[in-house]
Amino acid sequence: MDAHGGRRSQAERDAVTVEIGYALVSAAFAAAVLFGAVAGPALLFDLPHLLSTVLFRLGLVVAPLVFMARVISVLLRFRWQVRPGRPGPGS
């Protein structure tokens, strides 16, 4: 938004849209990789039942946490980069 409280330009709206898409895609990738690293051995190998269950459930708990942390960190970083008085994306 400009300094007088006006509407955002099309370029600013496009930058926000791209940043949200990037945040979601990179978060999904990070969560999938982490889930695969934690729960993968439980799915690929014949581990004891208790260990297999713990690894799988740990993956199910940690992956969404990583997803949310990634989305929040990307969007907050973008927000701080576009503060008034500082050059934004494409400047």
Side-chain angles (χ1 to χ4, degrees), residues 49-62:
H49 180 69
L50 180 61
L51 181 59
S52 177
T53 302
V54 167
L55 286 175
F56 187 74
R57 288 185 181 170
L58 184 63
L60 287 176
V61 169
V62 174

Side-chain angles (χ1 to χ4, degrees), residues 7 10-13 15 18 24 26-29 33 36 42 47-48 52-53 57-58 68 77 81 84-85 89:
R7 293 181 166 223
Q10 184 64 42
E12 290 171 326
R13 290 193 307 264
V18 167
L24 292 173
S26 68
F29 179 76
V33 168
L47 299 175
S52 177
T53 302
R57 288 185 181 170
L58 184 63
M68 291 304 298
R77 187 176 336 125
Q81 288 176 350

Side-chain angles (χ1 to χ4, degrees), residues 19-36:
E19 199 66 23
I20 290 170
Y22 169 72
L24 292 173
V25 170
S26 68
F29 179 76
V33 168
L34 183 79
F35 178 78

Side-chain angles (χ1 to χ4, degrees), residues 58-88:
L58 184 63
L60 287 176
V61 169
V62 174
L65 294 175
V66 167
F67 180 87
M68 291 304 298
R70 177 69 180 160
V71 168
I72 291 168
S73 70
V74 168
L75 294 179
L76 285 178
R77 187 176 336 125
F78 177 74
R79 179 180 177 195
W80 286 109
Q81 288 176 350
V82 188
R83 285 190 328 216
R86 292 183 66 187

